[in-house]
């Protein structure tokens, strides 16, 4: 029966309450069949289409005393990306023929705002109406302007073409680009060709710039190119505006970033331009050109004046000052300019360290000084925080530090925590965000004054959440971050009515839940509801490894919609063999959002893109922008092709022997790796000093390149013994070239310096030992005197400690830092010693509960066989995934099949090949069950008491993590394509068959 007949049947029969089948159920059955839904819509005539649209987009239908509420059904429909795409396509195809244009625009707007907007592909733009009513065109143009940032560059160009075609029809003059049409184009004005801009009437450009909203519009042209910006500037100048008038400069918006009339400019104009250029960091590129212009304006602004005199009037151009220039500033100048400096973003760590030191040296009233520092507060040393008066520090925590706590290093946060007591009245409790995460479990255990209203907005570690939920009975207080502590047993124990009535809460907070918790929700929903699993649960899976589609491949955009985030986990071989080019075109936007693609995945995506778009020499500028991060996968020759086409420089093999300039270093970013040793050696001192931190972030530099850059640093900064902390911090990876003897020459007394050095993961054991020895010697400490913030700052350097050194650490300091130490990837012998220290804090290993296992992280890799097999199977998901891979294979094999089956999908996915070799057939079968997210038994309902039994906690909501189980109830007819076979992990339940998609 056609969709519209069901709709009409629902309406007519509602009077008699004798519905045999609701339209809701019919539509729900189509949630996983969007192609079929498209076919159904295409068969409707205009009258039927009108009725169907009214059913879908009117939430309520009043029929006398009967009210049909479509709200819930419509929400379910819009949660399905494939159905969203179908509604979008059918609206373009039929709506403007069947309904009022304004109604169609409203429908399109609703669909697009509720979707990822990846339906707007260039080929689809051709289906847009060519001559819509004027009001409809303006409204639809406004929709597209609102969605500009969510669309690809090729789509933006296609939408510009559609708008231009319509706007041109009403103009017979030399140029169709009137002031009004510029306003209608909005951000799409950046797609105007150069020749079109140069033809704009001077009267029209004058009228446009005179608009009150012109500045607002020009402030949003983030992707304008220098050539187009300068063309607009030329027309504005020719139209009679005084380009050096402050009012005109203000109206230019982001065009000011490409101002090029520097001849005979006075210092006041230069400062006015610099003030407006603070917004230029919003540009999507061309930062090298912007920095060059700022540098030129800075030189003009400083004419006949010292840097000390004009520091406060230079806006964010101060970020371009070298460490030498900043070091030359007087404390008084920094103090007087603090109102400007504390508003600037983009500071390098070394710059912040210099400025904060000078500022704090001007006056001794720390509270007032720190409260004025803004972002510069992150440059205060850990020891300075620790030496502050607790009362003053408490006041600062409620202000400046609270705003910038995420930017403080873990060592700085620990330094503050060690000074400010943690209790219910402490200002630490007032702090939101990352800072609160540093509070240790023992500190949480000491207090009893927390309540759900205090804790709900905190950014909490999983171990903290579980502790708070267990200790303070917040079992049903699903507030904010506390939802992380909702265990699988708790979800399972909920009554059907209670669960379904609270399901919306879970839906709104899915971003806070682990995939393991989502997996439990999927099971519970399947049991509690007589409907299919909601699409948002299906699409939140993160760890899928096997995908079964209707023909064993990803054929088109509907398959891409169905995958959602799962696309990030497609194996390279699948991408190579079973992903069509049509699907790749639709998936490119989603791939760019993936956070952890492997090198092999990126390589296969690159090959697909080359197959889709051809050689880089044929790419348009829009295609180059759309490919975005995957450009880095191109070969050196392919990169040179793009460089020749779009940039004014070539890669190093085309540069001969000339030295790199600042412009090139900024533009090249990671591609600076292609500079030869000789070219790096030829770099002048100022260029190095200005760009050392950028060069220090290049991950691909080899040892020879790092060695040359280290020698350049010695040439520019002098002997190693004269280097300041900010010099060492600015080196980044360049510091890896330091020899053990050179490390001994450095002044490493500050833990903040060590904290930055420890972020490098490539130190040799001898280098790491040298860093540790120098720190202890220069700071006058021993292992037994180290504070928790010292341990946190040492980071990976702790992995070179011997057993005697580890056992010398004081337990109270270790307990405060254990969560950070649990992130380190140390050797098994070191982890075993850390485990002994953990036992001095938390008791014997066999008594640890889930919160402790989450807290200690990789330290669990130091457990022995007896300790490991003694853990209850329900504690298995509490192991952090990284800890699983650090358990030696000969120890890992001690786990029983039941324990392994309860690892959860994410932990199971971390089992290494070496560990697998030690497992029996029974254990391997259990591992597969864990990977598939299957339930091996019904979890026991938690005790009504809040406190767990000794050594145990309710099973994890927390860190178990993996894709939520993808389930479907066969009776509903909902499908994920046509599954060609039952994958491993499928099983039969008395309530219906559940198919594990993974």
């Amino acid at each position: 029966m056609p969709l519209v007949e069901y709709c009409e049947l629902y309406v007519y029969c509602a009077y008699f309450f004798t519905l045999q089948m609701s339209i809701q159920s019919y539509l729900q059955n189509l949630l996983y069949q969007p192609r079929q839904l498209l076919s159904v819509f295409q068969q409707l005539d205009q009258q039927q289409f009108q009725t169907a649209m009214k059913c879908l987009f009117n939430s309520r239908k009043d029929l006398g005393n009967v009210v049909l509420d479509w709200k819930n059904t419509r929400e379910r429909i819009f949660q399905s990306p494939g159905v969203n795409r179908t509604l979008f396509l059918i609206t373009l195809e039929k709506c403007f023929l069947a309904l009022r244009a304004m109604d169609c625009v409203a429908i399109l707007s609703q669909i697009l705002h509720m979707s990822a907007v990846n339906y707007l592909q260039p080929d689809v733009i051709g289906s847009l109406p060519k001559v819509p009513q004027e009001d409809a065109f303006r409204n639809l143009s406004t929709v597209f302007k609102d969605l500009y940032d969510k669309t690809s560059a090729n789509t933006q160009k296609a939408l510009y073409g559609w708008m231009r075609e319509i706007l041109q029809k009403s103009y017979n003059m030399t140029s169709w680009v009137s002031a009004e049409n510029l306003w209608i184009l909005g951000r799409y004005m950046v797609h105007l060709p150069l020749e079109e801009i140069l033809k704009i009437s001077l009267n029209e450009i004058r009228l446009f710039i005179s608009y009150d909203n012109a500045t607002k519009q020009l402030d949003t042209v983030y992707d304008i190119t220098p050539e187009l910006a300068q063309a607009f500037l030329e027309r504005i100048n020719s139209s009679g505006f005084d380009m050096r008038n402050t009012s005109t400069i203000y109206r230019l918006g982001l065009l000011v970033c490409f101002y090029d009339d520097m001849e005979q400019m006075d210092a006041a104009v230069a400062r006015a331009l610099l003030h407006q250029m603070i917004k230029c960091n919003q540009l999507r590129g061309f930062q090298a050109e912007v920095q060059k212009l700022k540098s030129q304006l800075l030189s003009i602004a400083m004419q006949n004046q010292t840097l000390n005199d004009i520091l406060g009037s230079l806006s964010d151009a101060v970020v371009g000052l070298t460490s030498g220039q900043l070091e030359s500033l007087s404390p008084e100048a920094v103090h007087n300019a603090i109102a400007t400096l504390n508003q600037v973003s983009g500071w390098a760590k070394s710059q912040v360290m210099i400025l904060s030191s000078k500022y704090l040296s001007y006056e001794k009233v720390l509270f007032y000084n720190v409260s004025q520092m803004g972002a510069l507060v992150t440059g205060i040393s850990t020891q300075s925080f620790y030496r502050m008066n607790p009362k003053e520090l408490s006041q600062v925590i409620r202000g400046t530090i609270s705003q910038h706590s995420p930017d403080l290093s873990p060592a700085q946060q620990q330094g503050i925590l060690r000074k400010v007591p943690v209790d219910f009245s402490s200002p630490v409790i007032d702090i939101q965000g990352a800072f609160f995460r540093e509070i240790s479990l023992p500190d949480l255990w000491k207090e009893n004054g927390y309540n759900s209203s205090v804790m709900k907005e905190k950014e909490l570690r999983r171990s903290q959440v579980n502790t708070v939920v267990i200790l303070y009975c917040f079992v049903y207080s699903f507030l904010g971050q506390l939802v992380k502590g909702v265990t699988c047993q708790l979800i399972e124990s909920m009554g059907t009515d209670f669960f379904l009535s609270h399901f919306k809460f879970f839906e709104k907070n899915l971003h806070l839940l682990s995939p393991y918790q989502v997996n439990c929700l999927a099971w519970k929903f399947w049991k509690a509801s007589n409907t299919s699993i909601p699409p948002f649960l299906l699409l939140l899976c993160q760890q899928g490894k096997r995908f079964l589609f209707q023909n064993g491949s990803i054929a088109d955009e509907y398959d891409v919609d169905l995958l959602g985030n799962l696309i990030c986990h497609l194996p390279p071989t699948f991408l190579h063999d079973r992903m069509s080019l049509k699907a790749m075109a639709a998936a490119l936007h989603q791939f760019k959002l993936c956070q952890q693609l492997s090198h092999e995945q990126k390589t296969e995506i690159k090959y697909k893109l080359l197959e889709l778009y051809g050689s880089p020499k044929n790419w348009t500028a829009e295609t180059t922008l759309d490919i975005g991060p995957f450009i880095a996968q191109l070969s050196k020759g392919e990169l040179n092709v793009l460089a020749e086409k779009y940039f004014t420089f070539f890669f190093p093999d085309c540069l001969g022997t000339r030295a790199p300039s600042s412009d090139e270093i900024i533009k090249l970013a990671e591609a600076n790796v292609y500079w030869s040793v000789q070219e790096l050696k030829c770099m002048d001192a100022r260029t190095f000093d200005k760009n050392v931190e950028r060069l220090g972030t290049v991950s691909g530099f080899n040892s020879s390149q790092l060695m040359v850059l280290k020698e350049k640093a010695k040439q520019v900064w002098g002997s190693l013994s004269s280097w300041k902390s900010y010099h060492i911090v600015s080196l980044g990876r360049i510091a890896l070239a330091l020899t053990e003897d050179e490390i001994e020459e450095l002044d490493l007394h500050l833990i903040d310096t060590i904290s930055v050095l420890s972020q490098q993961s490539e130190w040799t054991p001898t280098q790491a030992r040298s860093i540790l020895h120098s720190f202890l010697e220069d700071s006058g400490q021993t292992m037994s005197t180290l504070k928790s913030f010292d341990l946190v700052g040492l980071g990976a350097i702790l992995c070179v400690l011997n057993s005697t050194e580890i056992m010398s650490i004081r337990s109270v300091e270790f307990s405060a830092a254990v969560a950070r130490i649990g992130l380190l990837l140390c050797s098994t012998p070191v982890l075993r010693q850390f485990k002994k220290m953990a036992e001095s804090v938390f008791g014997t290993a066999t008594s640890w509960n889930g919160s402790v296992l989450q807290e200690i992280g990789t330290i669990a890799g130091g457990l022995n066989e007896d300790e490991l097999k003694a853990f209850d199977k329900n504690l298995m998901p509490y192991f952090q995934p990284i800890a699983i891979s650090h358990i030696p294979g000969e120890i890992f094999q001690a786990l029983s099949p039941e324990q392994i089956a309860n690892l959860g999908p994410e932990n199971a996915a971390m089992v290494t090949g070496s560990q697998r070799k030690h497992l029996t057939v029974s254990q391997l079968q259990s591992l597969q069950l864990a990977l598939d997210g299957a339930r091996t038994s019904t979890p026991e309902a938690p005790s009504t008491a809040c406190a767990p039994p000794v050594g145990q906690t309710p099973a994890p909501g927390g860190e178990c993590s993996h894709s939520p189980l993808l389930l479907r109830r066969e009776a509903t007819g909902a499908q994920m394509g046509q599954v060609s076979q039952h994958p491993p992990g499928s099983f039969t339940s008395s309530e219906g068959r559940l198919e594990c998609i993974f």
Side-chain angles (χ1 to χ4, degrees):
M1 183 182 294
L3 170 67
V4 67
E5 292 182 30
Y6 272 115
C7 186
E8 292 168 347
L9 179 64
Y10 189 91
V11 172
Y12 297 144
C13 295
Y15 285 112
F16 308 101
F17 304 102
T18 59
L19 288 175
Q20 299 299 310
M21 178 179 181
S22 71
I23 185 65
Q24 285 99 328
S25 297
Y26 178 76
L27 287 174
Q28 286 167 1
N29 290 339
L30 291 175
L31 285 178
Y32 304 103
Q33 304 174 62
R35 298 178 187 83
Q36 182 178 337
L37 181 62
L38 180 62
S39 176
V40 168
F41 270 113
Q42 288 173 332
Q43 295 172 32
L44 303 181
D45 60 31
Q46 289 192 13
Q47 182 60 44
Q48 292 171 329
F49 181 81
Q50 288 181 18
T51 304
M53 288 292 102
K54 289 176 181 178
C55 283
L56 287 172
F57 291 95
N58 291 332
S59 296
R60 298 168 66 87
K61 182 71 175 180
D62 296 323
L63 300 172
N65 294 326
V66 179
V67 178
L68 305 180
D69 192 344
W70 278 82
K71 182 178 179 182
N72 292 334
T73 301
R74 186 174 64 178
E75 286 182 1
R76 294 285 306 281
I77 290 171
F78 285 153
Q79 287 170 349
S80 172
V83 175
N84 256 332
R85 182 184 292 277
T86 288
L87 291 177
F88 175 72
L89 294 176
I90 202 64
T91 300
L92 285 182
E93 181 179 332
K94 284 180 169 286
C95 191
F96 287 93
L97 299 175
L99 300 178
R100 292 173 56 245
M102 292 294 285
D103 292 336
C104 295
V105 170
I107 291 173
L108 284 175
S109 175
Q110 186 171 352
I111 295 173
L112 288 172
H113 278 100
M114 296 183 69
S115 73
V117 199
N118 53 354
Y119 317 141
L120 273 175
Q121 296 294 326
D123 57 331
V124 175
I125 307 304
S127 303
L128 291 172
K130 301 300 181 185
V131 192
Q133 298 173 4
E134 183 176 352
D135 288 345
F137 169 69
R138 286 176 177 270
N139 286 1
L140 192 53
S141 298
T142 299
V143 171
F144 293 146
K145 286 189 283 187
D146 291 342
L147 299 172
Y148 186 93
D149 284 325
K150 296 183 179 180
T151 55
S152 68
N154 275 308
T155 296
Q156 291 166 4
K157 189 169 185 178
L159 286 170
Y160 159 77
W162 171 76
M163 297 168 73
R164 178 199 61 207
E165 185 176 349
I166 294 172
L167 292 172
Q168 276 181 324
K169 291 181 178 179
S170 58
Y171 279 83
N172 297 317
M173 299 179 292
T174 303
S175 173
W176 61 273
V177 187
S178 64
E180 183 180 15
N181 286 352
L182 279 173
W183 179 81
I184 292 173
L185 285 172
R187 294 180 59 182
Y188 290 91
M189 65 186 286
V190 303
H191 296 282
L192 284 164
L194 182 63
E195 58 274 15
E196 202 70 72
I197 296 172
L198 296 176
K199 290 192 299 183
I200 299 176
S201 160
L202 297 182
N203 287 333
E204 294 296 332
I205 200 71
R206 186 185 307 111
L207 183 59
F208 173 71
I209 295 298
S210 299
Y211 279 168
D212 289 338
N213 63 356
T215 300
K216 182 178 179 181
Q217 180 167 323
L218 291 174
D219 275 342
T220 64
V221 289
Y222 310 121
D223 48 349
I224 196 166
T225 64
E227 294 76 18
L228 297 186
Q230 286 165 4
F232 275 115
L233 288 171
E234 186 277 327
R235 298 307 286 166
I236 296 169
N237 183 39
S238 298
S239 70
F241 281 96
D242 180 359
M243 301 299 282
R244 297 192 177 182
N245 179 277
T246 302
S247 176
T248 303
I249 291 173
Y250 170 79
R251 287 181 172 273
L252 296 178
L254 289 176
L255 299 182
V256 76
C257 305
F258 304 100
Y259 195 98
D260 58 354
D261 182 14
M262 314 292 285
E263 188 175 350
Q264 296 183 340
M265 180 182 293
D266 62 39
V269 174
R271 288 195 290 272
L273 285 166
L274 286 173
H275 180 72
Q276 288 301 310
M277 288 184 73
I278 197 168
K279 63 185 74 172
C280 296
N281 59 4
Q282 300 176 70
L283 288 173
R284 299 288 161 76
F286 312 106
Q287 288 301 316
E289 287 84 351
V290 171
Q291 294 303 322
K292 184 176 181 179
L293 175 57
K294 285 183 178 179
S295 180
Q296 293 172 335
L297 293 172
L298 189 59
S299 297
I300 296 172
M302 291 174 58
Q303 288 176 356
N304 302 320
Q305 298 183 77
T306 66
L307 188 56
N308 282 328
D309 293 334
I310 64 167
L311 182 63
S313 63
L314 299 181
S315 189
D316 70 340
V318 293
V319 172
L321 296 174
T322 66
S323 58
Q325 289 174 307
L326 293 176
E327 190 64 70
S328 70
L329 292 169
S330 68
E332 182 180 8
V334 175
H335 178 271
N336 293 338
I338 196 65
T340 296
L341 301 177
N342 64 15
Q343 298 297 317
V344 172
S345 60
W347 291 112
K349 179 66 174 178
S350 60
Q351 293 176 310
V352 171
M353 292 171 70
I354 296 171
L355 290 171
S356 63
S357 175
K358 288 186 175 293
Y359 181 70
L360 291 177
S361 69
Y362 183 71
E363 289 181 3
K364 301 304 179 185
V365 185
L366 281 180
F367 165 64
Y368 176 77
N369 274 359
V370 173
S371 66
Q372 302 298 308
M373 291 180 70
L376 297 183
V377 73
T378 60
I380 299 176
S381 73
T382 300
Q383 280 290 347
S384 294
F385 279 128
Y386 187 68
R387 287 195 298 263
M388 285 183 71
N389 178 284
K391 183 177 180 180
E392 290 185 342
L393 188 56
S394 297
Q395 292 176 296
V396 173
I397 285 175
R398 289 189 171 95
T400 303
I401 293 181
S402 180
Q403 298 171 31
H404 298 281
S405 59
D407 300 320
L408 294 171
S409 73
Q412 289 171 310
Q413 293 176 7
Q414 273 290 323
I416 293 170
L417 285 176
R418 296 296 287 154
K419 196 69 173 189
V420 179
V422 180
D423 56 46
F424 184 72
S425 62
S426 168
V428 174
I429 302 304
D430 297 334
I431 291 182
Q432 307 300 326
F435 190 86
F436 196 88
R437 290 172 59 90
E438 298 301 318
I439 298 177
S440 68
L441 284 191
D443 280 336
L444 283 180
W445 291 340
K446 293 175 186 175
E447 304 307 324
N448 57 11
Y450 302 123
N451 57 58
S452 58
S453 63
V454 171
M455 303 300 292
K456 65 180 181 179
E457 299 301 332
K458 305 299 181 190
E459 183 178 335
L460 302 169
R461 300 194 307 275
R462 294 280 178 190
S463 59
Q464 291 173 317
V465 175
N466 287 333
T467 294
V468 170
V469 170
I470 292 166
L471 292 181
Y472 306 116
C473 298
F474 298 158
V475 178
Y476 288 103
S477 296
F478 301 153
L479 300 171
Q481 294 266 328
L482 294 181
V483 72
K484 293 178 181 178
V486 178
T487 65
C488 283
Q489 279 101 330
L490 185 56
I491 292 172
E492 182 67 23
S493 71
M494 292 177 185
T496 298
D497 292 341
F498 181 88
F499 175 78
L500 293 177
S501 65
H502 286 77
F503 191 72
K504 279 288 182 186
F505 172 83
F506 289 114
E507 182 180 348
K508 293 177 181 178
N509 290 278
L510 283 170
H511 63 287
L512 296 175
L513 300 178
S514 72
Y516 187 87
Q517 288 170 298
V518 177
N519 189 50
C520 296
L521 281 176
W523 276 108
K524 182 66 177 180
F525 190 91
W526 184 86
K527 287 181 62 179
S529 173
N530 60 1
T531 61
S532 56
I533 301 297
F536 72 85
L537 280 178
L538 298 180
L539 295 174
L540 279 173
C541 303
Q542 298 294 330
Q543 305 293 332
K545 301 297 182 184
R546 295 177 297 280
F547 302 89
L548 302 172
F549 286 85
Q550 56 188 14
N551 58 355
S553 66
I554 302 177
D556 57 22
E557 61 273 23
Y558 282 104
D559 286 339
V560 172
D561 291 342
L562 183 60
L563 271 174
N565 293 340
L566 289 174
I567 204 165
C568 302
H569 304 282
L570 291 174
T573 53
F574 194 105
L575 294 173
H576 182 271
D577 299 328
R578 292 189 281 171
M579 189 168 195
S580 72
L581 295 182
K582 184 177 182 181
M584 175 56 70
L588 178 57
H589 174 74
Q590 185 66 46
F591 276 129
K592 289 163 66 176
L593 299 178
C594 297
Q595 297 296 311
Q596 295 181 320
L597 290 174
S598 68
H599 173 73
E600 292 75 16
Q601 285 175 304
K602 292 177 181 177
T603 299
E604 291 301 336
I605 292 171
K606 181 199 81 168
Y607 287 136
K608 283 289 183 183
L609 292 174
L610 288 173
E611 189 177 351
L612 179 65
Y613 295 115
S615 168
K617 69 181 179 181
N618 299 321
W619 291 357
T620 63
E622 289 76 23
T623 297
T624 305
L625 286 172
D626 287 343
I627 289 176
F630 299 107
I631 287 178
Q633 302 303 310
L634 298 177
S635 67
K636 190 174 180 180
E638 291 165 335
L639 286 170
N640 274 326
V641 169
L642 286 180
E644 291 180 23
K645 190 170 183 179
Y646 294 114
F647 302 109
T648 58
F649 62 92
F650 303 98
F651 282 79
D653 58 355
C654 302
L655 289 172
T657 57
R658 69 179 180 84
S661 66
S662 289
D663 289 355
E664 291 164 335
I665 291 171
I666 294 172
K667 289 178 180 178
L668 286 170
E670 185 63 29
N672 279 293
V673 70
Y674 293 117
W675 292 108
S676 70
V677 168
Q678 184 60 36
E679 288 161 340
L680 292 173
K681 188 180 294 185
C682 294
M683 192 189 318
D684 67 68
R686 180 174 174 80
T687 299
F688 175 83
D689 198 23
K690 196 171 183 178
N691 296 282
V692 59
E693 299 210 29
R694 288 191 182 93
L695 294 171
T697 63
V698 177
S699 62
F701 277 143
N702 60 37
S703 57
S704 297
Q705 291 168 309
L706 293 175
M707 186 67 70
V708 167
L709 291 171
K710 179 199 70 175
E711 294 300 323
K712 179 64 65 175
K714 292 164 70 174
Q715 175 188 335
V716 175
W717 297 333
S719 64
L720 293 167
S721 60
S722 67
W723 287 9
K724 302 288 182 63
S725 180
Y726 64 79
H727 287 130
I728 303 169
V729 164
S730 67
L731 287 173
R733 286 191 70 245
I734 299 171
L736 294 170
L738 293 165
T739 66
E740 291 78 17
D741 290 338
E742 288 173 327
I743 291 172
E744 296 286 349
E745 290 186 55
L746 298 173
D747 178 1
L748 297 181
H749 76 282
L750 284 178
I751 190 58
D752 304 277
T753 310
I754 304 300
S755 179
V756 174
L757 292 177
S758 67
Q759 293 172 15
Q760 302 301 327
S761 60
E762 303 164 77
W763 295 111
T764 66
T766 52
Q767 285 177 309
R769 289 294 307 182
S770 294
I771 292 172
L772 175 64
H773 178 266
S774 294
F775 169 65
L776 293 175
E777 186 175 86
D778 294 346
S779 64
Q781 298 196 80
T782 63
M783 293 301 301
S784 63
T785 64
L786 295 181
K787 300 286 193 299
S788 61
F789 54 80
D790 294 317
L791 297 175
V792 169
L794 281 165
I797 305 298
L798 293 175
C799 290
V800 300
L801 295 177
N802 58 42
S803 58
T804 302
E805 291 168 330
I806 292 175
M807 300 312 292
S808 298
I809 299 171
R810 285 182 293 172
S811 294
V812 66
E813 305 300 337
F814 181 86
S815 69
V818 67
R820 285 285 171 181
I821 296 174
L823 299 175
L824 304 179
L825 309 180
C826 300
S827 66
T828 300
V830 173
L831 293 179
R832 286 173 179 159
Q833 293 303 314
F834 281 145
K835 186 215 60 172
K836 292 180 180 178
M837 287 297 302
E839 288 185 308
S840 71
V841 176
F842 301 115
T844 59
T846 53
S847 70
W848 291 348
N849 61 23
S851 295
V852 173
L853 287 174
Q854 289 176 323
E855 183 83 345
I856 66 172
T858 57
I859 296 174
L863 294 165
N864 62 38
E865 292 182 57
D866 292 336
E867 292 165 339
L868 196 59
K869 65 185 181 183
F871 285 112
D872 185 277
K873 65 180 182 181
N874 287 326
L875 289 177
M876 291 300 103
Y878 283 101
F879 282 86
Q880 288 196 22
I882 192 63
I884 296 297
S885 61
H886 275 70
I887 300 174
E890 61 273 16
I891 304 295
F892 188 79
Q893 68 179 349
L895 290 171
S896 68
E898 291 77 16
Q899 285 175 308
I900 293 175
N902 279 273
L903 281 172
E906 186 179 34
N907 283 354
M910 295 299 290
V911 175
T912 65
S914 175
Q915 290 169 325
R916 283 173 178 266
K917 291 178 182 178
H918 289 80
L919 300 181
T920 65
V921 172
S922 176
Q923 287 173 313
L924 289 172
Q925 290 173 340
S926 293
L927 181 62
Q928 189 60 56
L929 284 175
L931 283 167
D932 291 335
R935 290 193 308 178
T936 56
S937 63
T938 301
E940 297 179 1
S943 166
T944 54
C946 295
V950 176
Q952 296 187 25
T953 59
E959 208 55 24
C960 286
S961 55
H962 320 268
S963 334
L965 189 62
L966 293 193
L967 308 174
R968 67 176 172 92
R969 187 187 292 270
E970 275 204 335
T972 67
Q975 303 179 56
M976 287 188 66
Q978 298 294 323
V979 180
S980 59
Q981 63 183 43
H982 298 310
S986 297
F987 57 91
T988 301
S989 164
S990 60
E991 300 181 58
R993 188 172 69 200
L994 297 182
E995 294 189 355
C996 302
I997 301 305
F998 294 164

